[in-house]
Amino acid sequence: MELIRPLEEAGLLVPRPRDRLEAEIGHFTVAELDGIVVGCCALFPHGADTAELACVATHPSHRYRVSGATLGERVVSHAEAAARENGFRRMFVLTTRAEDWFVERGFAPAAIDDLPVSRQVLYNYQRNSKVLIKELQDHG
């Protein structure tokens, strides 16, 4: 909560009450250092072949490169691997300010109509989030 609260307050992330976070914790990948959460992201299924990447956050002091990848890249890569392992063929993300960052990591701009219907009906037009989709190649 301490990691994502400032991003929620800045309007970068959709606010998530504590009880919702606790209910959805099984969908989260969390990076921890010395007992402190320094990064996270969530992966939510939408049908049999599509997953939503959400709540990507890293602590400001951990946004530098380590061993060739930033912490953000590492948590997203972990979520992508989990999506593949669970049989998802594509992953999408909605973002208000990090479109270029996701495009640099293989996501392509898409339209609201490209989202699964289960997510289209929940799209918040006031946030005006960009829709980005990444096709997940089978590495097996």
Side-chain angles (χ1 to χ4, degrees), residues 9-110:
E9 290 170 355
L12 296 172
L13 292 177
V14 174
R16 289 169 175 81
R18 182 180 196 91
D19 59 339
R20 181 174 165 198
L21 274 175
E22 289 172 355
E24 296 176 343
I25 197 68
H27 294 281
F28 277 79
T29 293
V30 175
E32 189 178 42
L33 182 64
D34 297 329
I36 299 169
V37 175
V38 294
C40 70
C41 70
L43 192 65
F44 297 103
H46 287 274
D49 67 350
T50 304
E52 178 179 8
L53 179 67
C55 200
V56 178
T58 56
H59 190 277
S61 65
H62 292 277
R63 293 186 182 145
Y64 51 85
R65 291 200 174 278
V66 176
S67 303
T70 66
L71 180 60
E73 290 168 334
R74 293 168 76 180
V75 296
V76 168
S77 290
H78 187 272
E80 187 176 321
R84 278 192 187 95
E85 288 172 16
N86 286 294
F88 295 111
R89 293 192 343 240
R90 62 187 219 156
M91 193 165 67
F92 70 89
V93 65
L94 303 178
T95 183
T96 55
R97 299 216 189 133
E99 181 179 6
D100 291 342
W101 190 88
F102 286 106
V103 168
E104 289 169 5
R105 280 141 195 92
F107 286 81

